[in-house]
Amino acid sequence: MDAEIKNQNNYKLSISNTDRKLLLVIFDILALNGGFLLSLAYRQDYELTWILVEDNPVWFLLLNGLWFFLGYLYQIYDLERAGRFDSAFLRVIGVGFLTVGIFNFIPYLPPVLPPSRLPIFITLLLPIILLFFGGVIYIAGIGSVTTRSRVLIIGAGRSGKKICRVLNKRAKMVYQVLGFIDDDPQKTGELISIKQTDSGKKLKNPIKFPVLGSSGQLLDIVSQQDVAIIILAVTDEVRGELYQVLSDTIQKGVQIISMPLLYEQITGKVPIDHVGQQWSAALPLDHQGLTRIWQVNKRVFDLFWVFFGLIFLAAAFPLIAAAIYLDSPGPILYTQKRLGLYGIPFNMFKFRSMIPGAESGKAVWADINDPRITRVGKFLRKMHLDEFPQFINIIKGEMSVVGPRPERPQIVEQLSEEIPFFRVRHAVKPGMAGWGLIHHGYGASVQDTVMKLQYDLYYIKHQSLWLDLYILSRTLFNTIRFRGR
């Protein structure tokens, strides 16, 4: 009876993450389309009736398609970002202007823009205003509702601290970390300090989480704390008493997830330093690239983009070639030995962005302010234009449009001795654009390469044409914003 009263007193309204995303999508659809319809009605050349939608379905399909594509690109529906005004405001406004701007200036498909200024202004601004207020309503209404899954972490070591920091930094709106479970008796009751940044800087007030007990007390703690998820952050094989206790918690409806898998889902990279004996979590043992149909689809996808890339390259080549030669006399193009699929070497083409003889036969990483980079070379790198001759490598089948960036044989030899799983990158063709490139940029050290490898392994495990399209879109936006090297 007392337990029932306690549960009633502690009851809080809860909405699942799926429902939260659905509500957010509904708010956006109503705001975007409602604002568009009102702007058409304001122009007085359209009658605001359902017939308007029936007669012009392309308008609404195009408008919503643009919004959701750009919204996915800029992570509008990331619940962690969507639930905070400071992170959601600029994204909603920015994606809103992009969506409405692109939509209105696509010829023939959307309604013709009115000749006078005020209706144009209303057409552009009204949907964005409603999107903004829809976001405010969502944050004020749904953000105050208790929605987080209550989480216990088994293991208060390095892996446990790592996933706790990631959850607190990047998924605080989704997960509530209650504390740790650890069989070290000296840790029981201890408060584990968790830094709020991955940068290594010490903060004055790190967040502290308690070690609530040992695995033998797990069942009682799960019941008392109303735990929904247990994160297994131990690098050794699970056996004996812990295995039995975890089996019992599953029967109580508790979800158990390994630290590497959850870390991968949240960050988009594989934690190669934290897999321990769960080495299979780091390796793409059954990735899509092994299937024949994927290889054909990938090749068609590559050739489609090469067609447009070669048109641009042909138009831009004379200007780029002249700029390179006038800035620093020497060859316009140069080739460099790289390792491709299955570690097979090939000659990769690039526009020269450094002074002639920059490496003198020795593989050297390029720094951010490398003095060997020419003035034109800096511009080419910022716009990723130095990579465009690699369309030739794609035609030859040595590279793909999207994939891990290829490395030089000397660096591969060095890094393979220092970094576990490094040669797994050669399970797929290297690419001009990549998952690691859009998240971490170009590597300039072993530490950078370790970080990029984690992203590359994630890409190999989850590769798809949709992911490739997302990577290309992000690369294009980074290019426009001069976010290259």
Tab-separated table of all heavy atoms in Angstrom, residues 296-311 391 394-395 401 469 472:
chain	number	residue	atom	x	y	z
A	296	VAL	N	26.495	-1.680	-57.199
A	296	VAL	CA	25.944	-1.144	-58.450
A	296	VAL	C	25.279	0.205	-58.193
A	296	VAL	O	25.497	1.170	-58.936
A	296	VAL	CB	24.933	-2.142	-59.061
A	296	VAL	CG1	24.222	-1.512	-60.244
A	296	VAL	CG2	25.644	-3.426	-59.479
A	297	ASN	N	24.451	0.280	-57.153
A	297	ASN	CA	23.784	1.544	-56.825
A	297	ASN	C	24.787	2.652	-56.516
A	297	ASN	O	24.617	3.802	-56.933
A	297	ASN	CB	22.847	1.352	-55.628
A	297	ASN	CG	21.632	0.513	-55.964
A	297	ASN	OD1	21.244	0.408	-57.123
A	297	ASN	ND2	21.021	-0.090	-54.954
A	298	LYS	N	25.826	2.295	-55.796
A	298	LYS	CA	26.853	3.272	-55.436
A	298	LYS	C	27.570	3.776	-56.684
A	298	LYS	O	27.859	4.977	-56.806
A	298	LYS	CB	27.852	2.616	-54.483
A	298	LYS	CG	28.989	3.515	-54.020
A	298	LYS	CD	28.579	4.449	-52.927
A	298	LYS	CE	29.800	5.046	-52.249
A	298	LYS	NZ	29.461	6.072	-51.253
A	299	ARG	N	27.832	2.885	-57.624
A	299	ARG	CA	28.526	3.279	-58.854
A	299	ARG	C	27.655	4.216	-59.688
A	299	ARG	O	28.130	5.211	-60.227
A	299	ARG	CB	28.896	2.031	-59.663
A	299	ARG	CG	29.714	2.302	-60.923
A	299	ARG	CD	31.027	2.953	-60.582
A	299	ARG	NE	31.866	3.134	-61.769
A	299	ARG	CZ	32.918	3.950	-61.821
A	299	ARG	NH1	33.250	4.664	-60.747
A	299	ARG	NH2	33.620	4.059	-62.919
A	300	VAL	N	26.361	3.907	-59.802
A	300	VAL	CA	25.436	4.778	-60.529
A	300	VAL	C	25.360	6.141	-59.852
A	300	VAL	O	25.364	7.194	-60.508
A	300	VAL	CB	24.037	4.125	-60.618
A	300	VAL	CG1	23.029	5.099	-61.200
A	300	VAL	CG2	24.102	2.853	-61.454
A	301	PHE	N	25.292	6.145	-58.529
A	301	PHE	CA	25.259	7.386	-57.748
A	301	PHE	C	26.512	8.217	-58.024
A	301	PHE	O	26.443	9.435	-58.246
A	301	PHE	CB	25.161	7.028	-56.263
A	301	PHE	CG	25.088	8.209	-55.335
A	301	PHE	CD1	23.870	8.804	-55.036
A	301	PHE	CD2	26.238	8.705	-54.723
A	301	PHE	CE1	23.800	9.881	-54.163
A	301	PHE	CE2	26.172	9.774	-53.852
A	301	PHE	CZ	24.945	10.366	-53.571
A	302	ASP	N	27.676	7.560	-58.037
A	302	ASP	CA	28.933	8.264	-58.290
A	302	ASP	C	28.952	8.890	-59.681
A	302	ASP	O	29.314	10.064	-59.856
A	302	ASP	CB	30.116	7.300	-58.154
A	302	ASP	CG	30.407	6.933	-56.705
A	302	ASP	OD1	29.932	7.661	-55.806
A	302	ASP	OD2	31.088	5.921	-56.476
A	303	LEU	N	28.561	8.109	-60.687
A	303	LEU	CA	28.609	8.612	-62.060
A	303	LEU	C	27.614	9.743	-62.289
A	303	LEU	O	27.878	10.663	-63.082
A	303	LEU	CB	28.345	7.463	-63.039
A	303	LEU	CG	29.426	6.372	-63.075
A	303	LEU	CD1	29.024	5.249	-64.024
A	303	LEU	CD2	30.779	6.951	-63.480
A	304	PHE	N	26.496	9.708	-61.589
A	304	PHE	CA	25.514	10.797	-61.689
A	304	PHE	C	26.144	12.113	-61.247
A	304	PHE	O	26.031	13.136	-61.932
A	304	PHE	CB	24.300	10.456	-60.832
A	304	PHE	CG	23.298	11.583	-60.719
A	304	PHE	CD1	22.377	11.811	-61.731
A	304	PHE	CD2	23.286	12.410	-59.606
A	304	PHE	CE1	21.458	12.851	-61.638
A	304	PHE	CE2	22.372	13.444	-59.486
A	304	PHE	CZ	21.456	13.665	-60.518
A	305	TRP	N	26.825	12.096	-60.102
A	305	TRP	CA	27.435	13.331	-59.595
A	305	TRP	C	28.686	13.709	-60.364
A	305	TRP	O	29.010	14.895	-60.489
A	305	TRP	CB	27.736	13.181	-58.103
A	305	TRP	CG	26.492	13.159	-57.281
A	305	TRP	CD1	25.919	12.080	-56.666
A	305	TRP	CD2	25.615	14.265	-57.020
A	305	TRP	NE1	24.760	12.434	-56.031
A	305	TRP	CE2	24.541	13.771	-56.228
A	305	TRP	CE3	25.631	15.609	-57.374
A	305	TRP	CZ2	23.513	14.595	-55.781
A	305	TRP	CZ3	24.600	16.412	-56.932
A	305	TRP	CH2	23.562	15.922	-56.154
A	306	VAL	N	29.388	12.718	-60.892
A	306	VAL	CA	30.565	13.023	-61.716
A	306	VAL	C	30.168	13.814	-62.953
A	306	VAL	O	30.891	14.723	-63.393
A	306	VAL	CB	31.285	11.714	-62.114
A	306	VAL	CG1	32.254	11.957	-63.264
A	306	VAL	CG2	32.043	11.156	-60.924
A	307	PHE	N	29.021	13.490	-63.536
A	307	PHE	CA	28.563	14.203	-64.730
A	307	PHE	C	28.483	15.707	-64.469
A	307	PHE	O	29.002	16.510	-65.244
A	307	PHE	CB	27.195	13.653	-65.156
A	307	PHE	CG	26.539	14.421	-66.264
A	307	PHE	CD1	26.961	14.266	-67.578
A	307	PHE	CD2	25.505	15.318	-66.000
A	307	PHE	CE1	26.372	14.983	-68.608
A	307	PHE	CE2	24.909	16.035	-67.017
A	307	PHE	CZ	25.338	15.874	-68.330
A	308	PHE	N	27.857	16.092	-63.355
A	308	PHE	CA	27.746	17.515	-63.025
A	308	PHE	C	29.094	18.086	-62.595
A	308	PHE	O	29.429	19.237	-62.905
A	308	PHE	CB	26.714	17.715	-61.912
A	308	PHE	CG	25.319	17.369	-62.322
A	308	PHE	CD1	24.742	16.173	-61.935
A	308	PHE	CD2	24.570	18.228	-63.117
A	308	PHE	CE1	23.451	15.845	-62.313
A	308	PHE	CE2	23.274	17.907	-63.504
A	308	PHE	CZ	22.725	16.702	-63.107
A	309	GLY	N	29.870	17.279	-61.888
A	309	GLY	CA	31.180	17.752	-61.446
A	309	GLY	C	32.112	18.048	-62.597
A	309	GLY	O	32.862	19.044	-62.578
A	310	LEU	N	32.085	17.207	-63.629
A	310	LEU	CA	32.963	17.432	-64.778
A	310	LEU	C	32.546	18.665	-65.573
A	310	LEU	O	33.397	19.362	-66.141
A	310	LEU	CB	32.957	16.196	-65.677
A	310	LEU	CG	33.700	14.978	-65.125
A	310	LEU	CD1	33.578	13.799	-66.086
A	310	LEU	CD2	35.176	15.300	-64.872
A	311	ILE	N	31.249	18.953	-65.617
A	311	ILE	CA	30.792	20.181	-66.284
A	311	ILE	C	31.374	21.395	-65.567
A	311	ILE	O	31.910	22.317	-66.197
A	311	ILE	CB	29.253	20.244	-66.303
A	311	ILE	CG1	28.692	19.156	-67.212
A	311	ILE	CG2	28.777	21.619	-66.773
A	311	ILE	CD1	27.172	19.070	-67.202
A	391	PHE	N	37.507	13.731	-59.627
A	391	PHE	CA	36.447	13.149	-60.449
A	391	PHE	C	37.047	12.175	-61.462
A	391	PHE	O	36.394	11.215	-61.878
A	391	PHE	CB	35.657	14.248	-61.156
A	391	PHE	CG	34.681	14.963	-60.269
A	391	PHE	CD1	34.777	16.325	-60.061
A	391	PHE	CD2	33.666	14.266	-59.629
A	391	PHE	CE1	33.881	16.991	-59.243
A	391	PHE	CE2	32.760	14.921	-58.811
A	391	PHE	CZ	32.865	16.289	-58.612
A	394	ILE	N	37.335	8.963	-59.753
A	394	ILE	CA	36.029	8.327	-59.599
A	394	ILE	C	35.644	7.622	-60.895
A	394	ILE	O	35.136	6.497	-60.878
A	394	ILE	CB	34.970	9.365	-59.200
A	394	ILE	CG1	35.300	9.945	-57.815
A	394	ILE	CG2	33.575	8.736	-59.178
A	394	ILE	CD1	34.393	11.074	-57.392
A	395	ILE	N	35.872	8.266	-62.046
A	395	ILE	CA	35.575	7.642	-63.336
A	395	ILE	C	36.379	6.352	-63.497
A	395	ILE	O	35.874	5.338	-64.002
A	395	ILE	CB	35.883	8.622	-64.486
A	395	ILE	CG1	34.885	9.788	-64.453
A	395	ILE	CG2	35.811	7.912	-65.836
A	395	ILE	CD1	35.182	10.867	-65.470
A	401	VAL	N	32.387	9.225	-54.686
A	401	VAL	CA	32.063	10.596	-54.311
A	401	VAL	C	32.083	10.746	-52.799
A	401	VAL	O	32.564	11.751	-52.263
A	401	VAL	CB	30.681	11.007	-54.879
A	401	VAL	CG1	30.254	12.362	-54.335
A	401	VAL	CG2	30.724	11.046	-56.401
A	469	LEU	N	23.906	11.300	-49.578
A	469	LEU	CA	23.290	12.563	-49.990
A	469	LEU	C	23.388	13.596	-48.879
A	469	LEU	O	23.652	14.778	-49.130
A	469	LEU	CB	21.822	12.323	-50.365
A	469	LEU	CG	21.062	13.512	-50.967
A	469	LEU	CD1	21.741	13.987	-52.242
A	469	LEU	CD2	19.609	13.143	-51.236
A	472	LEU	N	26.994	14.863	-48.813
A	472	LEU	CA	27.234	15.786	-49.924
A	472	LEU	C	26.602	17.147	-49.663
A	472	LEU	O	27.204	18.190	-49.960
A	472	LEU	CB	26.683	15.193	-51.221
A	472	LEU	CG	27.518	14.103	-51.890
A	472	LEU	CD1	26.800	13.590	-53.147
A	472	LEU	CD2	28.893	14.637	-52.274
